[in-house]
Amino acid sequence: MNQEQLKRIRSGKGFIAALDQSGGSTPKALLQYGITEDQYSGEEEMYVRVHEMRTRIIQSPAFSSASILGAILFENTMDRKIEGQYTAEFLWEKKGIVPFLKIDQGLAALDGGVQLMKPIPGLDELLARANERHIFGTKMRSVIKEANTDGIRKVVEQQFDIGKRIIAAGLVPIIEPEVDIHCADKEESERLLKAEIRKQLDLLPSEALIMLKLSIPTIDDFYRDLMDDPHIIRVVALSGGYEREDANTRLSRNHGLIASFSRALAEGLTAQQSDDAFNQMLSETVQSIYDASIT
């Protein structure tokens, strides 16, 4: 584990940029960026276009270590290059931003009020490649849609079981059991979730380190006590479908919680903008998310 990167994630000021849209979410991300499906043909061309979008964001002067601690990449992005360097190397060596990798393969069907992760075939090989590409940590997402005790227990157990394999590979897992912001019993779901996370933290070896990526809680500062657990490097928040301004306002009320926004980060950016307009928009977005993350 890169100790300089660990120190930056643990104590640095800023947020984690999520640039990891994949599979079914990629066309939606491109459409938001102003590229319609008739402007590319086939999966490979789609990924070329989305890499161009991500490259433009990463190369922007606004995308800097002054505000951004880390960036989460999609596997396809990890294997592509920016200015002749693999993306993770470019992020760290040229930008001082710590690279993470999304490793999950999407969500299983809704069962027991939750969506577990689909199986991750070839996980050990993917983790080995992540190490070769100088990735610091990984991210994997499940979704909770109702306050179902058994369902939430299964989500957290699955996350931590895979997390232990990631730790064994020398990487830091970002465990992401998202509570749907439209969940009718969101507050109760978060209470059950925190209790299950605590159980799993108690079972970890003393040296094990993880991160948590959680929905912005209904009760302000609800996850504040988890930040003091010695296993937890950082707790970050997903925007979860909130508009950026709303997400920032909610985030700013949660001390120590920092952003890891995806859609909210790219909100307002389009392929049609001039570089000056694009960089100005991104600069304003980055500053607003940074400000909400340093409370």
Side-chain angles (χ1 to χ4, degrees), residues 147-279:
N148 182 303
T149 302
D150 287 341
I152 291 173
R153 176 183 52 79
K154 289 176 182 177
V155 161
V156 178
E157 285 181 350
Q158 183 192 43
Q159 285 273 347
F160 274 81
D161 285 347
I162 297 175
K164 290 170 188 174
R165 293 174 64 184
I166 294 162
I167 293 167
L171 300 164
V172 174
I174 299 178
I175 287 171
E176 183 185 6
E178 174 183 349
V179 177
D180 192 315
I181 64 169
H182 303 296
C183 178
D185 42 15
K186 181 171 178 284
E187 183 177 334
E188 176 62 11
S189 295
E190 289 163 350
R191 187 187 68 77
L192 293 171
L193 173 61
K194 186 163 79 166
E196 291 298 329
I197 289 172
R198 285 197 168 282
K199 289 178 187 177
Q200 291 299 320
L201 287 171
D202 289 342
L203 297 174
L204 288 177
S206 59
E207 70 279 4
L209 297 175
I210 69 164
M211 295 172 63
L212 295 173
K213 182 169 179 176
L214 305 171
S215 304
I216 302 171
T218 304
I219 299 174
D220 294 343
D221 284 333
F222 184 67
Y223 296 122
R224 186 68 187 84
D225 56 326
L226 289 179
M227 298 174 195
D228 296 326
D229 189 284
H231 295 295
I232 295 179
I233 299 172
R234 208 77 191 244
V235 182
V236 305
L238 55 109
S239 54
Y242 292 123
E243 295 297 321
R244 184 175 63 238
E245 185 176 353
D246 189 12
N248 285 339
T249 298
R250 293 171 184 270
L251 179 65
S252 66
R253 299 198 301 260
N254 287 270
H255 301 85
L257 191 64
I258 67 172
S260 178
F261 293 171
S262 173
R263 187 193 56 77
L265 175 67
E267 189 178 307
L269 300 177
T270 69
Q272 292 75 31
Q273 288 168 322
S274 67
D275 286 344
D276 285 346
F278 180 93
N279 292 333

Side-chain angles (χ1 to χ4, degrees), residues 27-96:
K28 186 176 179 180
L30 284 172
L31 185 61
Q32 180 183 336
Y33 184 57
I35 297 177
T36 57
E37 292 189 43
D38 61 358
Q39 292 178 271
Y40 53 87
S41 176
E43 187 175 87
E44 174 57 23
E45 192 171 338
M46 176 183 74
Y47 284 132
V48 168
R49 299 305 298 271
V50 81
H51 187 63
E52 291 170 352
M53 177 188 77
R54 289 168 178 156
T55 296
R56 192 180 187 194
I57 291 171
I58 290 169
Q59 288 180 317
S60 171
F63 198 87
S64 80
S65 59
S67 302
I68 299 170
L69 298 175
I72 304 171
L73 307 175
F74 171 47
E75 181 182 353
N76 191 280
T77 307
M78 177 185 74
D79 290 332
R80 294 180 186 269
K81 294 183 177 182
I82 299 175
E83 295 181 15
Q85 289 184 291
Y86 284 110
T87 304
E89 294 172 354
F90 181 87
L91 278 167
W92 180 243
E93 293 177 12
K94 296 293 178 67
K95 291 278 188 168

